[in-house]
Amino acid sequence: MESRKEARQLLFGSIDSGKSKMASKTEDKVSVQRDDLVRLATEIAQLKQTFPTVVNKRVTSAITKVNHLETELSILQQKYEESLAETERWKTRCELAVTDCQKEKQTKVDEFLCLVASTLQSYVSAYKSDWPKEDQEETQFILALCGIITNIAASAYGRDFLITNQNGRHVVDTYLSVLSEAPNGKSARLKNLILMALYNISINKKGIKYINSKGGVLELLSWILQDEKESENKTNALRLIQSILCDGTCVGVILELNEVLPMSVLQQLTKDKSAEVRQLVQEVISDIQLKSHAEH
């Protein structure tokens, strides 16, 4: 009996297991209507036909745009190269024009410097014994020429140009000559312009070296200091003496200055009516003492 029972249970168990397997297989399947399947197949077929056309249109459009951009880029590159070439042409023309202008200017400046030197020499030679008044037209012209030189020497470029130019150095030589030949007092304004120009030139290293190379400058300045009445001329003479003292390349300057401008004269100038003269004299005395101490 027990064996039949067991056999029966096994039989029903296997039947139930088969049913469950069949049920799971049935659940994995999806029912689709024939019409839907036909419509899906039709859409797939249409997509296969239209997809290449759509893609080809987009690719063609992109290629067209790229070609158009390349054409525009080529045009712009050509215009840039043309503009660059045009710029170079104008640059070359400008450089040539500037060079021509500088050459023309150098001709004009040299002519002017020669005019100043020759005119000033002729003026001093003609009126040395009978100096004209400052309000005369010829004197005003001479003062105007000297004033231009003074203004040129007031700038660093101007004084360097004057001392490196042969005609400029000739003007300096003429100035020193005029200082010694023109009478003190009567030619005060002319000497004032000359002294200012020489002081401006002395600020330049090459300028002070050139001035010091001309003999008798300290003696000339000493004479102006002692004989000139105009305070401004004394002031400019003292400033030029200071420049000479500051030039380290000038050997024996203290000895020469003591000979032409003794300390007793300098002490007398410390009582001058001009406060500026008094101050500058004190500075010159201090410079002499310092330089004397350094040389010993």
Side-chain angles (χ1 to χ4, degrees):
M1 290 291 290
E2 290 181 359
S3 60
R4 287 183 181 178
K5 229 184 237 189
E6 290 176 0
R8 188 177 180 185
Q9 288 178 352
L10 288 173
L11 178 61
F12 283 112
S14 61
I15 292 173
D16 291 338
S17 175
K19 285 183 179 180
S20 62
K21 288 181 180 179
M22 291 180 63
S24 64
K25 288 183 179 180
T26 303
E27 289 176 358
D28 290 340
K29 296 180 180 179
V30 178
S31 298
V32 179
Q33 293 185 3
R34 185 181 295 274
D35 292 342
D36 292 336
L37 185 61
V38 172
R39 186 166 54 253
L40 179 60
T42 302
E43 290 178 356
I44 292 173
Q46 291 176 348
L47 183 61
K48 286 182 179 180
Q49 292 177 354
T50 58
F51 181 76
T53 304
V54 172
V55 172
N56 287 338
K57 282 184 178 180
R58 291 183 178 179
V59 171
T60 303
S61 177
I63 293 173
T64 302
K65 288 181 179 179
V66 170
N67 291 336
H68 181 68
L69 290 174
E70 288 180 347
T71 302
E72 288 187 349
L73 181 61
S74 177
I75 294 172
L76 289 175
Q77 181 69 24
Q78 183 178 355
K79 288 182 178 180
Y80 169 75
E81 291 175 356
E82 291 174 355
S83 299
L84 189 62
E86 185 70 14
T87 301
E88 288 297 323
R89 284 195 293 271
W90 279 107
K91 183 180 179 181
T92 302
R93 291 178 63 181
C94 180
E95 290 174 351
L96 290 174
V98 169
T99 301
D100 292 341
C101 182
Q102 289 176 342
K103 289 180 180 179
E104 183 67 19
K105 186 177 180 181
Q106 180 71 36
T107 305
K108 296 298 182 181
V109 171
D110 286 339
E111 290 177 1
F112 173 74
L113 294 175
C114 290
L115 172 67
V116 172
S118 60
T119 304
L120 193 54
Q121 285 174 334
S122 300
Y123 179 83
V124 173
S125 298
Y127 296 110
K128 184 176 180 180
S129 58
D130 186 19
W131 201 259
K133 294 181 179 180
E134 289 187 353
D135 58 356
Q136 291 187 5
E137 186 174 340
E138 189 175 3
T139 302
Q140 290 298 315
F141 177 69
I142 291 295
L143 293 175
L145 290 179
C146 292
I148 293 173
I149 297 297
T150 302
N151 289 335
I152 292 174
S155 70
Y157 174 81
R159 50 181 166 262
D160 188 72
F161 173 80
L162 287 173
I163 208 61
T164 54
N165 181 281
Q166 182 178 355
N167 294 307
R169 291 193 296 272
H170 184 48
V171 170
V172 174
D173 295 342
T174 304
Y175 272 11
L176 292 172
S177 176
V178 171
L179 283 179
S180 63
E181 295 180 18
N184 284 333
K186 296 180 180 179
S187 59
R189 190 175 173 191
L190 175 61
K191 287 192 173 184
N192 182 43
L193 290 171
I194 291 176
L195 286 168
M196 282 195 295
L198 291 174
Y199 170 70
N200 288 338
I201 292 172
S202 75
I203 298 174
N204 182 283
K205 289 183 179 180
K206 289 175 283 188
I208 189 59
K209 184 178 292 187
Y210 184 79
I211 291 173
N212 282 335
S213 70
K214 317 305 289 187
V217 175
L218 283 174
E219 184 177 1
L220 176 60
L221 295 174
S222 174
W223 171 63
I224 292 173
L225 274 174
Q226 296 177 68
D227 196 55
E228 183 62 68
K229 294 181 180 180
E230 292 292 331
S231 297
E232 194 169 357
N233 286 4
K234 292 181 181 180
T235 297
N236 290 321
L238 286 166
R239 285 174 176 165
L240 190 50
I241 290 173
Q242 278 187 309
S243 290
I244 294 173
L245 287 172
C246 290
D247 180 26
T249 63
C250 188
V251 181
V253 63
I254 296 298
L255 181 61
E256 182 183 355
L257 190 60
N258 286 333
E259 290 178 357
V260 299
L261 191 62
M263 188 60 67
S264 58
V265 176
L266 290 173
Q267 291 294 345
Q268 186 64 31
L269 286 171
T270 59
K271 302 174 184 178
D272 193 87
K273 62 180 181 179
S274 169
E276 191 170 10
V277 171
R278 295 196 301 270
Q279 179 182 350
L280 284 171
V281 169
Q282 291 290 353
E283 292 177 4
V284 168
I285 292 174
S286 297
D287 292 340
I288 292 173
Q289 291 172 346
L290 286 173
K291 199 168 183 69
S292 299
H293 180 73
E295 289 181 357
H296 290 84

